[in-house]
Structure formats: C-alpha cells, structure tokens
Amino acid sequence: MRVLGIETSCDETGIAIYDDKLGIMAHQLYSQVALHADYGGVVPELASRDHIRKTIPLIEAALADAGCSKDDIDGVAFTAGPGLMGALMVGATIGRSLAFAWDKPAVAVHHMEGHLLAPMLEDDAPAFPFVALLVSGGHTLLVRVDGIGRYQILGESVDDAAGEAFDKTAKLMDLDYPGGPRLAKLAESGTPERFIFPRPMTAKPGLDFSFSGLKTATATAMAEEVAAGRDNQQTRADIAHAFQQAVVDTLAIKCKRALTQTGLNRLVVAGGVSANVSLRAQLSELMTSLNGEAFYPRNEYCTDNGAMIAFAGLQRLKAGDTEPLAVRARPRWPL
Ligand code: KG4
Ligand code: ZN
C-alpha cells in the first residue's frame, strides 16, 4: 500500500509518499520561515497563500522523485487539524479533491498523531505500548499509547506549549524568528546554574505542565541584569541556559512520573522541541537509568513534515478510516 501525505497546518508545506514495504519514497519540504521572518511570527493569511502556491508543485515533484504516477497511489492523506484554519483548508481541499479525481480513498490525519507516530519511520521503531511526550509549538502532551488510535492523554500544558515558550522567550531576548532553535543554540554557551528558574508544577502531583511563568522568570532576570549593567552576550547565554534547563528538567520529571504511573519503560519523544539536543540527552539518560529506552524521530521528522502524515495516513487507511466527500478541516481537534 502506498500513500501520498500532505501537511499544511502551519508554516511548512510537507509532501511525502510512504509505501509500507519500501518506506519513504519521496519527501518534499518547503519552509516559509523567510516569508514570516520580518513579522516575527507566522502570519496566517500569508501562510495559506504560500501553501496554495507550493502544494501542487511539491506533489508533482514527490511523484517524480518516487518514480510513480497517480495510479500507483492507494490513498491521499492530509492534515485536517489542529492548526491554522486557512492553512489546513489548502491541504484538505487539495488532498480531498485529488483523491476524488484519482478515485482513491482520502484520509484526514490528526497533526499530533502524525508527530506521535513519526519515530516509527525509523529502523529502531518503538513497540506498543509506550508513553509519548509530544512537544511542539502548539501542544505539550503526555500520552499513553497502546496502538494506532488508542491514545490516553495523561497530561498537557495548561497554558503555553513547550515550543511556544521557547519562541516567546526567544522573542523577549531579541532573537530572530524562529526563536526556539536559536535560543537552544545560545544556551549551549551558557554557564550552568548562574541563574536558576522554577520547575513549574513539579512540586505537586499530576502530569500537567505550565510554561508561561518561565517567560516572566526570563524577563525579570533580563531586566535585573540590564539594570545592573551586566547585559552582555554571556549573560544572555546564561539566561537562555537557565530557561532551557528549567524546561528540560520539568519535562524529564513528568516523563519519569508518567512511566512510573503506567509501569511502561518505552518513551517516545516527538514534535519540534524533540530536536532539542539537551532534551534528548537528558531523556536518554533518564531511560538508561530506568532500564528502558527512548525513541526519537530523525531531526527532519521532528518538525512539521509530510512523511509523518503519509505514514499515519497509511495506518488509518489500513484500519478502514476514510474521509467522506466533503472537505473538512478542524483547527481545534482533540487527539
Ligand atoms: O512540531 P513543530 O514543527 O510545529 C508544531 O506542530 O507546532 O514544532 C515547532 C516548534 C517551535 O516552537 C520551535 O521553536 C520548536 O518546535 N523547536 C525547538 C527546537 N527546534 C524546533 N525548540 C527547542 N529546541 C530546538 N532545537
Ligand atoms: Zn507540528
């Protein structure tokens, strides 16, 4: 079985073809980062318009890369939510229409299910059941995963998502968009423990997260250093380090708690923030200490991409999950 996957939920146009015997046959990705950089964040209308320009040429390029035609495709999967309404509508409309024109089934994929299953594209794929930590720009979720579509939410952020906290903190430190990876880079040269920020919601039981307070901690530290005449590159790196360490420690504490609570010893980490080197190092160390194993997607499948949508779409199609003829996009859609 072979599926074309279309991802347009935010600011990347991702197209891929996944075959259950051959794996990923084509993978096209166009990032709109340059388009939104001047505005310091994603401008939804510009994102939609750019998806309109890029989606069909990238599908043509993917078919050419895979050396196949529409007749070799068994289904069309598209991200139907959650995400930006206009951006989602582009992928949903093109995906649903192509499936209709090609007389193939269409399947609507949940963006976070795509992220969740992305580590299964690797050779060393995790077996069910496992605990998944999903850390992206829009969501922070801890999920017990017993199989495809068998998801139990154990915890989530009550305010900012982990990636959102990285981006907003980067912005208040005057780093260019997209701020998350830049803040992570700056943190690498930071001095550990010159600043220590709170590990929110770790003192009481539970698996929910709150990251918005860390922005305030960063802003306060910055203001104090500026007032004391110590605002220099090293100070900024030290503050970035303290912020990142607080996020990483908090995520690790909650992962350990979720593993203890469920009695599981496999941890899947996915979504844009799973590209973070410090997070990976700490979670891998945690899993070694627990005699368990951590699984991550390769870097290009951590952030938004079409491969994860093609893969999740194929699993859904195999389960007989097809989309009716109407075009539907769901900007808010629980996993
Ligand atoms: O999964 P993703 O591409 O999009 C959403 O579904 O939201 O995640 C994007 C998020 C952004 O907030 C970005 O700043 C963050 O992932 N991110 C990182 C890193 N790379 C991407 N955050 C921290 N460290 C990184 N290396
Ligand atoms: Zn995403």
Side-chain angles (χ1 to χ4, degrees), residues 7 9-10 111-112 115 136-138 271-272 302-305 308:
E7 157 62 37
S9 67
C10 190
H111 182 78
M112 296 313 289
H115 278 304
S136 71
C302 286
T303 42
D304 293 347
N305 65 86
M308 66 184 195

Side-chain angles (χ1 to χ4, degrees), residues 47-80:
S48 314
R49 292 179 188 206
D50 216 33
H51 286 308
I52 292 173
R53 280 189 285 271
K54 296 295 180 333
T55 305
I56 290 174
L58 290 186
I59 291 172
E60 286 168 342
L63 286 168
D65 280 358
C68 65
S69 78
K70 61 182 175 54
D71 301 328
D72 306 311
I73 300 290
D74 301 302
V76 181
F78 54 86
T79 303

Side-chain angles (χ1 to χ4, degrees), residues 137-165:
H139 296 83
T140 301
L141 293 168
L142 265 168
V143 190
R144 183 194 163 108
V145 179
D146 286 293
I148 304 289
R150 295 172 61 201
Y151 311 131
Q152 183 196 346
I153 308 286
L154 304 171
E156 61 193 315
S157 179
V158 297
D159 44 51
D160 291 353
E164 187 180 4

Side-chain angles (χ1 to χ4, degrees), residues 24-62:
I24 292 292
M25 299 181 70
H27 177 225
Q28 292 280 336
L29 186 69
Y30 177 80
S31 169
Q32 302 179 353
V33 161
L35 177 70
H36 302 291
D38 287 348
Y39 305 93
V42 179
V43 183
E45 180 61 22
L46 294 182
S48 314
R49 292 179 188 206
D50 216 33
H51 286 308
I52 292 173
R53 280 189 285 271
K54 296 295 180 333
T55 305
I56 290 174
L58 290 186
I59 291 172
E60 286 168 342

Side-chain angles (χ1 to χ4, degrees), residues 25-320:
M25 299 181 70
H27 177 225
Q28 292 280 336
L29 186 69
Y30 177 80
S31 169
Q32 302 179 353
V33 161
L35 177 70
H36 302 291
D38 287 348
Y39 305 93
V42 179
V43 183
E45 180 61 22
L46 294 182
S48 314
R49 292 179 188 206
D50 216 33
H51 286 308
I52 292 173
R53 280 189 285 271
K54 296 295 180 333
T55 305
I56 290 174
L58 290 186
I59 291 172
E60 286 168 342
L63 286 168
D65 280 358
C68 65
S69 78
K70 61 182 175 54
D71 301 328
D72 306 311
I73 300 290
D74 301 302
V76 181
F78 54 86
T79 303
L84 302 171
M85 185 51 160
L88 289 166
M89 279 305 288
V90 177
T93 307
I94 293 175
R96 189 66 199 87
S97 309
L98 272 184
F100 175 71
W102 295 351
D103 197 19
K104 309 284 177 177
V107 55
V109 174
H110 191 292
H111 182 78
M112 296 313 289
E113 181 175 49
H115 278 304
L116 171 69
L117 301 177
M120 302 186 99
L121 286 162
E122 304 304 324
D123 291 339
D124 176 26
F128 299 117
F130 54 76
V131 168
L133 172 70
L134 303 182
V135 270
S136 71
H139 296 83
T140 301
L141 293 168
L142 265 168
V143 190
R144 183 194 163 108
V145 179
D146 286 293
I148 304 289
R150 295 172 61 201
Y151 311 131
Q152 183 196 346
I153 308 286
L154 304 171
E156 61 193 315
S157 179
V158 297
D159 44 51
D160 291 353
E164 187 180 4
F166 263 91
D167 295 337
K168 288 180 175 172
T169 303
K171 204 166 184 175
L172 68 86
M173 292 185 71
D174 301 324
L175 295 171
D176 287 340
Y177 164 86
R182 288 178 206 266
L183 186 65
K185 186 86 196 129
L186 181 61
E188 279 174 19
S189 49
T191 317
E193 300 189 4
R194 179 174 158 201
F195 298 93
I196 296 178
F197 295 161
R199 274 61 177 152
M201 291 180 81
T202 54
K204 53 180 185 179
L207 294 171
D208 286 339
F209 304 90
S210 165
F211 290 112
S212 71
L214 287 176
K215 282 191 313 257
T216 318
T218 308
T220 307
M222 279 289 293
E224 284 172 4
E225 293 306 298
V226 170
R230 287 191 299 260
D231 178 20
N232 54 45
Q233 192 59 18
Q234 189 58 49
T235 292
R236 285 173 175 248
D238 296 347
I239 291 175
H241 189 283
F243 167 82
Q244 175 172 271
Q245 197 55 53
V247 174
V248 169
D249 279 350
T250 304
L251 292 171
I253 291 167
K254 299 281 170 145
C255 283
K256 187 173 179 188
R257 227 177 251 181
L259 291 158
T260 307
Q261 186 178 307
T262 55
L264 299 176
N265 71 348
R266 281 184 290 271
L267 177 70
V268 157
V269 191
V273 185
S274 69
N276 187 278
V277 176
S278 167
L279 178 67
R280 283 185 180 225
Q282 195 155 324
L283 291 179
S284 293
E285 205 174 291
L286 169 71
M287 293 318 291
T288 305
S289 75
L290 296 174
N291 281 325
E293 206 180 337
F295 299 85
Y296 311 90
R298 71 190 75 171
N299 267 337
E300 60 183 322
Y301 298 162
C302 286
T303 42
D304 293 347
N305 65 86
M308 66 184 195
I309 302 305
F311 179 79
L314 187 139
Q315 311 308 320
R316 286 286 177 181
L317 263 185
K318 274 189 167 169

